[in-house]
Amino acid sequence: MDETPVVTKQLRGSDAYYHVTWSPVVRAVRQDIIRVVPAVSGLFELFVLDTGKTLNPVRTSGAWYGGLRSTIRELCDPQTCRDKRIRSYLARHRLYYRFSTCASHEDMQDVLACIAAIRPRSVREATPSARYEGLFLRESAQGGMIRID
């Protein structure tokens, strides 16, 4: 990966405009996660691939204390995953993931609140930081359109 995907923020008055640049969506393979995903805080999404080759988000969350690498690795490994819902997906489906780094816990909360409005089924907790009157979100992905072979 050329550049690390990152969450950026611009302030205009009392509003915050976030731009999340996601990594490409890739299959969750332990060795690849260890090699590619940075051990820093950030956001991630887990997907399952249905029979029509459509990616369906099953979890969107932030990784703060453990960092992205260990959090994604733990969730994608049936031996270590403590989340019963994700473990049931692991038994029947291939998992895919993408991530974006974010150094601010409050910014992660704001972005998750915005994503919850768009994809509520995949976000567990979404309480905005209450620092801004308006929150706006734009998302893009490295590599453009998602293609799963």
Side-chain angles (χ1 to χ4, degrees):
M1 227 175 286
D2 295 359
E3 295 180 22
T4 302
V6 66
V7 174
T8 59
K9 173 178 67 174
Q10 289 186 340
L11 299 176
R12 292 186 196 135
S14 59
D15 298 332
Y17 293 80
Y18 290 98
H19 179 203
V20 178
T21 304
W22 292 105
S23 69
V25 174
V26 294
R27 185 167 179 208
V29 177
R30 180 187 161 110
Q31 294 79 5
D32 294 339
I33 293 168
I34 292 168
R35 185 175 47 80
V36 173
V37 179
V40 297
S41 60
L43 302 165
F44 67 91
E45 289 192 307
L46 295 179
F47 302 90
V48 293
L49 189 65
D50 67 18
T51 56
K53 293 205 174 198
T54 300
L55 288 170
N56 298 294
V58 294
R59 176 120 178 240
T60 303
S61 190
W64 186 248
Y65 293 113
L68 287 165
R69 180 185 302 149
S70 64
T71 302
I72 294 171
R73 189 189 63 199
E74 177 188 318
L75 286 169
C76 295
D77 185 348
Q79 308 274 317
T80 60
C81 183
R82 289 177 277 175
D83 185 313
K84 291 178 185 178
R85 183 170 166 247
I86 300 298
R87 208 169 44 234
S88 72
Y89 283 120
L90 284 168
R92 300 175 316 212
H93 302 284
R94 292 180 180 171
L95 275 185
Y96 293 81
Y97 72 93
R98 67 180 180 176
F99 67 89
S100 185
T101 62
C102 183
S104 166
H105 188 265
E106 291 83 8
D107 288 347
M108 275 197 285
Q109 294 305 105
D110 289 342
V111 171
L112 284 171
C114 290
I115 292 172
I118 303 165
R119 300 184 290 275
R121 292 180 56 188
S122 69
V123 179
R124 283 185 153 175
E125 294 180 27
T127 305
S129 68
R131 298 175 295 166
Y132 309 109
E133 283 185 33
L135 298 175
F136 301 90
L137 177 67
R138 184 174 62 136
E139 297 178 273
S140 61
Q142 292 179 337
M145 295 286 290
I146 297 170
R147 179 188 164 123
I148 302 295
D149 294 321

